[in-house]
Amino acid sequence: MKYQENLERNAANFAPLTPLSFLERAASVYPERVAVIDGAKRHSWKETYARARRFASALTKRGIGRGDTVAVMLPNTMPMYEAHFGVPMAGAVLNALNTRLDPEAIAFMLQHGEAKLLLADPEYLPVIKQAKISIPVIDAERDYESFLQEGDPEFPWLWPQDEWDAIALNYTSGTTGNPKGVVYHHRGAYLNAVCNIVTWGMPHHAVYLWTLPMFHCNGWTFPWTMAANAGTNVCLRKVDAVDIFKLIKMHRVTHYCGAPIVHSTLINAPDEVKQGINHKVSGMVAAAAPPAAMIEGMERMGFDITHVYGLTEVYGPATVCAKHEEWNSLEIGERTRLNGRQGVRYLMEEGLTVMDPETMRPVPADGETMGEIMFRGNITMKGYLKNAKATGEAFRGGWFHSGDLAVMQPDGYVKIKDRSKDIIISGGENISSLEVEDVLYRHPAVLAAAVVAMPDEKWGETPCAFIEVKPDSKVSERDLIDFCRQHLARFKAPRAVVFGELPKTSTGKIQKFMLREKAKSTSAIDT
């Protein structure tokens, strides 16, 4: 073909896509513009670029290179932001650990991911100590700056050899006790980072408040988004309504992301802390389908809320409830209903559909026929680390199977109806019901256990345990909750325990759909 003759890919016309290039450009074009604010600390884009190169250089001097894993267990602070550039600049893969996990889970992830180094905040050192790991640990408060001083600010950082190279490793609960390692590539990170700007309509130099943990799907790729945007990152160590409103007013924050619990926290904050915001604030909400009352409450506050949906396997949000101008004239209840849907595909995700997972045929767009949400395209993961079976199952038929059941509405918008997996999403955190059940079965009084999602006004969902007690054994609701808290992260422990015989099929399988209905009328214990 004539278009192929003597037209070869070369250094002049092709470079592997990587979001690391965004930082280099921001430092070159806007060197003195503030990049990161962390309390009293402020660094420009020029300084942030130099610090990221020092980070990469220091890692290299410690023997870390292409394909190695570097783990971090940090809140949303400056070191966490810099790690998103410094680690891959050394050719390594960033594993941002969920700071809410228990020692057993942390130990598994570090071992499974073969981390060579861990950078951790002092707040999490006790958990890390209990995990009994055998890799070097850098104290992010005491030793981080001296660690950076080991590196060269002019370090010639490593461009990926291939845009398919791994940039990050994120663990997700899935439906089994052991987490699965989701591998991201440079191409997907680059495209989704840009897609966030386009999809959200972010203006240049946005001011972004880090209410979303950066360990969640690498902050939905927003660390790289903000470098592409040449905006300002405002760090937030923990979600607190008073602090959030204070920082919004102090720095004129324009954008933030979070699970429904974050938005509910803002809605329920004292009126006096909400006063004084005289500029537009845009929020992005994801996780379990957000309650209509939350979307309406944020709108009444004057915040502009965009609803997105996704999973760890698709770099965070991969659909958006794209708004239409004509919706503005609708009554707020109807507008809230429309905005509460999971929506349409992200601009840079090539495929979104709802299909029958057995026949792999799309369901009719009738708003009634349920199927499974499926994705395909460049912002879908490489696969699960060291788990060919799970990867094959996830990509069966050439689509990524989300495990979420939904309908396709007549206007082409997706609406989730239920989950085919027994995952509980609490405050944006995935909780494996099997993991909780495994702990409950360890209790000497438990004969049978089943855990399902229980609706919760604050968290969206929390675990509810249904228990059959062994004959002649006695145990209380409080006993089992405390037992779970000894072996699990606190947020994974059941908030309610119901005793009685579990409904089973003729083959002995517990009928969880019946328990889910029961859980809707169950009250959480006061904790």
Side-chain angles (χ1 to χ4, degrees):
M1 184 178 177
K2 63 183 179 180
Y3 291 110
Q4 298 297 336
E5 295 174 6
N6 302 315
L7 302 176
E8 301 295 330
R9 181 183 297 184
N10 60 69
N13 64 18
F14 177 83
L17 299 179
T18 175
L20 306 180
S21 63
F22 301 150
L23 178 56
E24 182 180 42
R25 183 180 184 277
S28 173
V29 181
Y30 304 102
E32 302 308 320
R33 180 170 281 275
V34 176
V36 187
I37 298 172
D38 187 355
K41 302 174 188 173
R42 291 177 179 237
H43 286 147
S44 67
W45 282 112
K46 178 180 178 181
E47 291 169 325
T48 300
Y49 183 41
R51 287 169 65 84
R53 294 169 80 179
R54 282 187 182 275
F55 199 134
S57 176
L59 289 176
T60 302
K61 288 180 179 179
R62 295 196 180 201
I64 290 168
R66 289 195 187 274
D68 289 334
T69 304
V70 174
V72 296
M73 194 167 180
L74 301 165
N76 287 348
T77 53
M78 197 170 284
M80 181 61 141
Y81 188 78
E82 292 169 353
H84 276 77
F85 296 92
V87 172
M89 279 178 164
V93 179
L94 177 65
N95 175 207
L97 298 168
N98 186 328
T99 59
R100 300 165 188 166
L101 292 178
D102 52 280
E104 187 177 0
I106 295 297
F108 172 83
M109 293 173 185
L110 293 172
Q111 182 178 15
H112 184 262
E114 300 178 41
K116 297 284 185 71
L117 182 76
L118 172 62
L119 174 63
D121 189 87
E123 182 179 346
Y124 313 122
L125 291 178
V127 174
I128 292 165
K129 187 176 181 180
Q130 292 177 54
K132 298 178 181 178
I133 61 171
S134 58
I135 61 173
V137 178
I138 296 175
D139 184 322
E141 189 173 288
R142 187 185 64 192
D143 302 323
Y144 180 64
E145 292 299 327
S146 59
F147 166 72
L148 290 188
Q149 291 306 309
E150 296 175 18
D152 178 3
E154 300 294 325
F155 176 70
W157 56 273
L158 300 180
W159 203 282
Q161 294 172 322
D162 188 315
E163 59 190 21
W164 178 249
D165 288 351
I167 189 172
L169 171 66
N170 293 293
Y171 282 91
T172 181
S173 294
T175 55
T176 59
N178 279 339
K180 289 180 287 192
V182 175
V183 182
Y184 291 174
H185 46 70
H186 283 256
R187 178 181 178 82
Y190 178 104
L191 291 172
N192 208 38
V194 173
C195 197
N196 283 331
I197 297 173
V198 178
T199 301
W200 211 0
M202 295 179 75
H204 216 34
H205 308 312
V207 181
Y208 183 87
L209 179 62
W210 275 104
T211 48
L212 173 74
M214 283 189 232
F215 65 68
H216 264 313
C217 315
N218 298 107
W220 301 349
T221 72
F222 271 92
W224 303 307
T225 292
M226 290 309 296
N229 181 266
T232 299
N233 296 273
V234 180
C235 295
L236 182 69
R237 190 175 183 90
K238 68 179 211 174
V239 171
D240 177 87
V242 174
D243 288 343
I244 289 172
F245 282 111
K246 176 184 175 183
L247 291 171
I248 287 175
K249 287 177 272 192
M250 181 185 300
H251 301 298
R252 293 189 66 79
V253 167
T254 60
H255 293 75
Y256 72 94
C257 298
I261 180 63
V262 174
H263 295 80
S264 296
T265 298
L266 300 183
I267 291 170
N268 295 313
D271 288 339
E272 58 268 23
V273 305
K274 300 178 186 178
Q275 305 303 317
I277 298 175
N278 53 16
H279 65 281
K280 181 181 178 181
V281 180
S282 298
M284 187 178 277
V285 61
M294 186 280 295
I295 294 178
E296 184 173 331
M298 293 305 297
E299 182 172 332
R300 291 190 186 282
M301 278 174 53
F303 283 34
D304 182 31
I305 300 299
T306 297
H307 176 206
V308 293
Y309 155 77
L311 305 92
T312 303
E313 289 88 342
V314 288
Y315 294 72
T319 77
V320 58
C321 191
K323 300 176 183 178
H324 293 256
E325 286 185 10
E326 53 267 31
W327 295 358
N328 295 333
S329 61
L330 299 174
E331 185 268 329
I332 190 169
E334 176 61 10
R335 193 162 62 244
T336 296
R337 184 190 69 79
L338 291 170
N339 286 330
R341 298 178 295 172
Q342 282 58 53
V344 295
R345 66 183 176 89
Y346 245 40
L347 178 66
M348 294 180 185
E349 181 67 291
E350 280 64 38
L352 166 69
T353 188
V354 178
M355 285 201 277
D356 181 316
E358 300 303 320
T359 65
M360 293 300 288
R361 292 178 180 172
V363 301
D366 58 9
E368 294 181 5
T369 308
M370 282 207 295
E372 184 177 2
I373 298 177
M374 300 190 192
F375 295 95
R376 63 164 29 149
N378 289 303
I379 58 170
T380 303
M381 66 172 179
K382 291 184 71 166
Y384 297 116
L385 182 68
K386 302 178 187 175
N387 198 333
K389 181 181 178 183
T391 300
E393 290 172 353
F395 291 150
R396 181 171 53 84
W399 289 84
F400 167 65
H401 294 240
S402 72
D404 288 332
L405 298 179
V407 296
M408 182 68 77
Q409 297 192 328
D411 62 355
Y413 279 54
V414 170
K415 174 67 176 176
I416 286 181
K417 291 294 184 180
D418 199 359
R419 294 189 182 88
S420 60
K421 303 173 185 176
D422 292 322
I423 281 292
I424 301 160
I425 303 179
S426 183
E429 296 285 354
N430 282 2
I431 301 172
S432 166
S433 62
L434 294 182
E435 183 183 10
V436 184
E437 288 165 10
D438 284 345
V439 170
L440 288 165
Y441 273 111
R442 292 185 209 168
H443 194 284
V446 173
L447 175 65
V451 176
V452 299
M454 176 176 68
D456 185 274
E457 199 168 302
K458 180 178 181 182
W459 299 104
E461 296 175 346
T462 55
C464 177
F466 289 84
I467 302 294
E468 276 188 37
V469 178
K470 293 177 182 177
D472 303 320
S473 293
K474 289 186 178 181
V475 65
S476 70
E477 181 177 26
R478 170 57 69 185
D479 290 340
L480 288 178
I481 292 174
D482 289 344
F483 180 79
C484 287
R485 287 179 174 175
Q486 291 172 23
H487 300 280
L488 294 166
R490 188 181 179 90
F491 73 90
K492 292 184 178 182
R495 293 288 300 278
V497 178
V498 180
F499 295 96
E501 185 177 353
L502 303 184
K504 304 178 186 73
T505 64
S506 57
T507 59
K509 184 177 180 181
I510 296 171
Q511 296 178 303
K512 282 195 169 182
F513 71 93
M514 295 177 67
L515 298 181
R516 289 191 191 98
E517 287 303 311
K518 275 191 176 182
K520 290 178 181 178
S521 58
T522 301
S523 299
I525 190 171
D526 184 11
T527 56

